[in-house]
Every structure is written in C-alpha cells, then in structure tokens.
Amino acid sequence: MTTTASSRRGWLSVLSVALGSFVLVLSEFLPIGLLPSIARELHVDIGTAGLMVVFTGLTGAVAAPVVTVATSRLDRRTVLLALTVLLVVADALAAVAPTFGVLLVARMLLGVGIGGFWAIGAGIAGRLVEPPAVIRATSFITAGVSVATVVSLPLGAFVSSLASWRLAFVIGGALGLVALVLQIAMLPSIPSSQRVRFSTLAGLLRVQRARVGLIAAAFLFIAQFAAYTYVAPYLEELVRVGPDTVTLALLVFGIAGIAGNFVAGFTLSRNVIGTIGVAKVVLAAAVVLLPFAAHSVVGVFALLVVWGFVWGALPLGTQTWMSTASPAGAESGLALFVTTIQLAIAAGSVLGGAAVTSFGLSADFWFSGAVAVVGAVVLLTLGLRRSSAIPQTGTPTAPTPVPMPAD
C-alpha cells in the first residue's frame, strides 16, 4: 500500500472512531431533552427520571479502568467494535424498555460503552496516523463531543414534540449501526501494545504530571457542568428570553465549541499547558460575567460564544495532557481521566444545583468561575514546576521523562 493510500485509510479510520464518539455522547445526553416525556409514560417523577443521566455517568466512571484492564491483551479493533455493539444494544433496549428499571439497565450498558470507548478510543489516533498528525486526528475524535452536545438537546426536544421519546433512541441505535459498519470496514488490526493492571493505574497516581492533570481536569469539569447544567434556566429567568432563543443560544454555544476544538488541534501541538491555562482563565471570566450581562441579549450571546469556544479546546487539551502523563502508555492515563471527568460531571451538576437552590442562579455562575480559576492555578503552578516538554509531534502515546482535556 502506498504512503498516500495508507494515510487516507488512517484518516478514514479516525473518522469512523469519531462517528462512534459522536453517537455515544449523543446517546448519553439525549434523555436531558426527553425527561418530561419519559417521566410521564413510565410513571416516575422528574427527579427519578434524572437518574438516567447519573447512572450512565457513574457506570462510565467505573467501566473506564475495568474495561481497560480486562481487555488490555486484546486487539484494540476488536474492543472498539464490541463497545460500539454495546452502544447499539443499549439504545435498542432503551427504545423498547417497558419499565423505568429496564431503561436504567439500558443506560448502565451505555455507561460501560462510554467509559470503555473513551479510555481506549480517545487515544487511538496515535495508532492510526503519522506522529505529526496525531493531535489533529484526536481533535476529530473529540469533536464528536461538541457536535453531539449541539445536536442532542434540540433533537431530544424535537422528537419529544412530534413523536414518542423512544424514537430518539431508535435514531441513536441506527447511527450506532452506521458507525459499526464503518469501523468494521475501515479500522485495521490494532494489536495491544501493553498489559495494563490495576496496579499500573494506581502507580500512575504517584506520577506528578498525572496527578496535576487529574486534579486540573476535576476542577474544570466541575466548573463547566455546575454552570452549563443551568444555562437554560439562566436564559429563561435572568435574560428573560423564550424557548426559541434558548435553543438558538445553545446552538451558538455548541458551534463555537466545535470551532474551539479544531483550533486547539493546532495550538496544542505548540504549547499544551499554555493552551489549557489560557482557556481555563477565559472560561472563568465568561461564566462570571454572564449574570452581569443578563440585561443585554447581544452581550449574553457574545459571552456564550467565548465560553463555548474555549470549552471546545479544553477536553482535547486535558486529554492530550493525560495521554502523555503515563509512562505505561496513553490508555492508562485516559482510563483514570475518564473516571475523573465522569465523577466531576456528576459533582458539578449536584454542586451547581445546591448553589442555585441556596443562593440563586447568579451565584451558581460565580461559583463555577471560582472553581475554574482554582483549576487554572493548580495547572499553572504545579504543572510548570516540574513540566516536561511535550514532543513537537504532539503524539499522545509518546512517553515523557516525568509524566498530564472536558481539556
């Protein structure tokens, strides 16, 4: 096979994995726009229905290290295909679930797929393309997060208004089948390159670069989801705009995130810690200013664009940091990273809700900004203290003498 043909095949493989990441995140967030419909049909209250999101995240947090260890001797192509099959099964089961209990089982299966896929698939670009293109290829895979975030809420709301909520899961399962077919056709054999044990993951916590990355990622995702969970109520109650404007605002946020993700693909190859540090500070400033700008719809949209843009860069940035933090290889770092961010997402939503309940919507955004600043300080002070240079190729699988995304 010629170099050009091999390169083309590598990029097609990357795109097949990117589609898988898109469908996984789409399926994870679809229920947010469907909760009222699901609660009515399955005879549970909204709070109970919200467990669908919590169960998926917590299962993903446990699954990431377990799947990484359990499958570390298997061909990575086989593992990715199996996880995509699990995604299709989970969506199919959700679509026909007769009771809320069965629906929760389906969501837990999805959580296993999400945890395993992100621990393995997010760092697979280094095995598919040449070293200079790794960060850019990884940005395509992580772009699935931004695109799915843009699509999931409007799609869920649209389906709920026209048909049964079950149709949304049918759509997710159908897209999962498309991703599976592309992966079967495009993914080459990717032999396991390392044996991962739980002791390997525990040992990673003794590596300063990895500890810094996990702590910084935890602060980041807590800050993001403390604020993002309450964007819609903020727009409705403080900015006082209607549902159509709320949908447009979320769409603008998501599109800005997609742009930020791809721009980060270039900036991270030059300076990882600088990209992450600046993006965190700008994110903090944007969310803190939102309550002050509530009187101006134009000002709010401008801040949402800024927030969305820097957020789009952060998952890729922290993922790049963590994939280079482990002397044992990218998958070890990413397994702990996925566990950390899933727990942080849940924590951010809970803490944000506590802030809103106790002090109001404005306080939630100020709290989020403060957490983001703390995360930036941790990264810049501890990260720079013993930072080792990231290779200019940006290869996530390249080892570093002193082992680092949602950024």
Side-chain angles (χ1 to χ4, degrees), residues 54-125:
V54 176
F55 271 47
T56 304
L58 293 179
T59 304
V62 174
V66 171
V67 171
T68 300
V69 171
T71 67
S72 65
R73 290 183 175 176
L74 301 179
D75 188 295
R76 311 329 276 156
R77 177 182 187 271
T78 302
V79 177
L80 288 175
L81 293 178
L83 292 170
T84 305
V85 168
L86 189 60
L87 155 68
V88 175
V89 171
D91 276 345
L93 182 59
V96 299
T99 66
F100 186 68
V102 174
L103 186 56
L104 284 182
V105 171
R107 298 298 294 175
M108 292 174 70
L109 291 176
L110 180 67
V112 174
I114 289 172
F117 188 94
W118 279 107
I120 296 169
I124 206 69

Side-chain angles (χ1 to χ4, degrees), residues 283-303:
L283 183 149
V287 297
V288 166
L289 289 173
L290 277 170
F292 296 105
H295 64 281
S296 169
V297 174
V298 173
V300 167
F301 268 72
L303 288 173

